[in-house]
Amino acid sequence: MSSVAPTPTRSRDGTAASLLNDEERARIRAKSAQFAPPTAAMPDGRRDLVGLSREELTDIMVEIGEKPFRTKQLWHWIYHQGATDFSRMSSIARPLQEKLAERFVVGRPGVVTEQTSQDSTRKFLFRFRDGQEAETVYIPDRQEDRGAVCISSQVGCTLSCTFCHTGTQALVRNLGAAEIVGQFMAARDSYGEWPSPKGDTPRLLSTIVLMGMGEPLYNYDNVAKAMRIIMDGEGIGLSRRRITLSTSGVVPMMDQCGAELGINLAVSLHAVRDDLRDEIVPLNRKYPIKEIIAACRRYPAASNARRITFEYIMLRGINDSEADARELVRLISGIPAKVNLIPFNPWPGSSYRPSTREQLEKFANIVMDAGFASPIRMPRGRDILAACGQLRTESQRLRRVARPDDGTDAAQ
């Protein structure tokens, strides 16, 4: 994707902000379309109802001769009760249950493996209908009966960040809305958390972090559709305040995410100089630090109550000096923010080393003294390769080749 000239616009505080224009967003979407997920149709022709918007579900009901109010019933059973079998939907008459079962399914990704770490972190390897796979992690809180579900948005990743194991796996394809929602629903199946807790009722799976495999903003439309389903108050009903999207800095889509979804934002910064970030986060060559920080300043959901999180992986002798800490403070000055310091989690073949505990604390103290919360994130699930930067699958993108007999393309 080549860059285009920015179009000046106005940020929420009235200052001129250099936003990339609609054409650039269209180019991102066009690139994303090359990695589109498969259709929701089963081999036998039935269609998955998970991942459909309310409007789409209503249209389908009308198509089969049913009244629009059926949408509300189905939505309740699918997303509030967690039902996958139409015969369990007791408010729907048996003839309609049978009619629905003939035409539709309420799907889940297949669980290939489910591993639980010594620290109770649980990692799922999910397989989707086309055989591709992605990993999802549930990270329980150490003190309370709640925790975060770390969801993947792509199979593989296109960013090639050098410290990240996922970055060694080429992008295979985007995940569809059903596959993104399905990860959370399947994790709930594992913990038996149905029906969806209402109001102030405690939730075991209490938050979502889009920090798994892939760059969520390079699959924005599917991610946004999935999050709208999850936030719908008549179903799963998870508040936007309990959803955090992590990006390496896809600036034009950061603006769109803030305007349309208003969920929490985390930025994988990891360096304070463009020359270093160009090397370890190659996306920086397209969207450099200055543009990313400007996008954070205008992010509409940012406030003292909902701070932007800057994620910073600590690499020994590379980005962990006291000078780096002081420059980080300068960069984020004036932004409602906190900094998550992440000890590097080793993975097979990596040459990086984690910062020493002493250096971690020096760095954290400089940031905290400047008035920013700066927790050192304790690694979770390392023994099952479930920690930050360790997710990876063996899925590969199918390559298109020409058949020698008829000149058409075939998957290989």
Side-chain angles (χ1 to χ4, degrees):
M1 294 179 295
S2 60
S3 59
V4 297
T7 298
T9 187
R10 306 293 295 182
S11 68
R12 60 189 173 124
D13 63 358
T15 60
S18 182
L19 297 180
L20 296 179
N21 62 15
D22 290 341
E23 182 180 353
E24 175 69 2
R25 280 187 279 271
R27 291 184 184 185
I28 290 173
R29 283 190 163 92
K31 182 71 173 178
S32 177
Q34 298 176 26
F35 298 90
T39 66
M42 304 284 287
D44 61 8
R46 291 183 297 167
R47 182 170 182 176
D48 194 350
L49 296 183
V50 175
L52 298 178
S53 68
R54 280 183 177 269
E55 294 75 18
E56 289 169 333
L57 188 52
T58 298
D59 289 345
I60 285 177
M61 289 300 102
V62 172
E63 285 175 14
I64 66 169
E66 295 297 326
K67 300 293 185 183
F69 77 85
R70 296 296 184 189
T71 295
K72 185 179 180 72
Q73 289 180 314
L74 285 168
W75 198 272
H76 172 83
W77 284 108
I78 294 169
Y79 297 116
H80 181 68
Q81 296 291 345
T84 58
D85 185 342
F86 291 108
S87 67
R88 286 188 52 211
M89 300 181 182
S90 57
S91 63
I92 296 175
R94 185 171 296 277
L96 179 54
Q97 290 177 358
E98 294 171 354
K99 182 179 180 180
L100 292 170
E102 289 172 0
R103 293 168 170 79
F104 307 111
V105 298
V106 179
R108 293 286 194 277
V111 180
V112 180
T113 59
E114 185 174 321
Q115 301 170 274
T116 303
S117 166
Q118 294 175 358
D119 62 20
S120 297
T121 297
R122 187 171 297 182
K123 183 172 78 169
F124 304 88
L125 176 62
F126 289 126
R127 181 172 294 154
F128 306 105
R129 292 197 185 103
D130 62 351
Q132 303 292 9
E133 297 172 341
E135 292 189 317
T136 304
V137 178
Y138 174 65
I139 309 162
D141 189 271
R142 292 181 183 274
Q143 280 81 40
E144 301 181 43
D145 287 337
R146 60 185 177 87
V149 184
C150 181
I151 287 178
S152 293
S153 56
Q154 297 178 310
V155 180
C157 189
T158 190
L159 298 185
S160 303
C161 299
T162 58
F163 52 81
C164 180
H165 198 199
T166 311
T168 66
Q169 178 184 352
L171 178 62
V172 177
R173 68 167 175 84
N174 290 327
L175 294 178
E179 294 167 326
I180 296 168
V181 174
Q183 293 172 65
F184 184 76
M185 297 172 78
R188 270 195 160 180
D189 292 345
S190 179
Y191 285 90
E193 193 172 49
W194 298 105
S196 294
K198 285 287 190 180
D200 294 329
T201 304
R203 293 174 180 251
L204 191 63
L205 281 66
S206 58
T207 58
I208 285 176
V209 290
L210 287 153
M211 297 182 183
M213 298 171 62
E215 166 54 65
L217 294 185
Y218 274 150
N219 185 24
Y220 176 76
D221 291 335
N222 286 308
V223 167
K225 186 177 183 182
M227 293 306 104
R228 289 188 183 105
I229 291 170
I230 284 172
M231 291 187 291
D232 188 293
E234 293 186 357
I236 293 170
L238 203 62
S239 163
R240 69 185 71 245
R241 295 174 177 270
R242 298 204 173 267
I243 300 173
T244 299
L245 182 145
S246 176
T247 178
S248 291
V250 185
V251 170
M253 306 314 292
M254 290 168 66
D255 291 315
Q256 187 157 356
C257 178
E260 295 180 353
L261 296 180
I263 57 181
N264 300 322
L265 182 69
V267 176
S268 297
L269 194 61
H270 307 313
V272 294
R273 307 188 320 272
D274 280 325
D275 60 337
L276 176 58
R277 198 167 189 269
D278 285 351
E279 177 186 339
I280 66 175
V281 185
L283 182 66
N284 195 73
R285 299 166 193 165
K286 185 168 185 61
Y287 305 117
I289 292 171
K290 183 178 180 180
E291 290 187 20
I292 293 169
I293 296 297
C296 291
R297 292 189 186 281
R298 62 180 178 259
Y299 193 74
S303 66
N304 287 329
R306 298 177 63 195
R307 295 169 292 174
I308 290 176
T309 300
F310 288 95
E311 297 166 313
Y312 198 95
I313 197 157
M314 297 289 285
L315 304 172
R316 188 183 302 185
I318 293 175
N319 66 348
D320 63 349
S321 70
E322 289 96 318
D324 288 319
R326 287 189 287 270
E327 177 61 11
L328 175 59
V329 166
R330 188 193 70 79
L331 282 173
I332 66 175
S333 177
I335 299 175
K338 69 175 182 178
V339 178
N340 270 351
L341 298 180
I342 308 169
F344 172 68
N345 295 306
W347 43 267
S350 172
S351 60
Y352 291 113
R353 294 185 298 163
S355 299
T356 64
R357 185 71 193 184
E358 179 185 11
Q359 197 61 28
L360 271 167
E361 291 176 354
K362 286 181 180 179
F363 197 106
N365 287 336
I366 291 171
V367 178
M368 286 189 290
D369 287 347
F372 298 97
S374 184
I376 298 171
R377 187 190 296 175
M378 298 303 296
R380 304 288 297 278
R382 269 184 174 176
D383 55 318
I384 57 171
L385 290 180
C388 182
Q390 291 185 321
L391 303 187
R392 192 184 192 280
T393 71
E394 297 304 315
S395 291
Q396 296 181 350
R397 182 164 169 78
L398 298 178
R399 184 165 57 90
R400 306 298 296 183
V401 296
R403 288 179 182 162
D405 54 341
D406 61 5
T408 60
D409 283 348
Q412 174 173 290

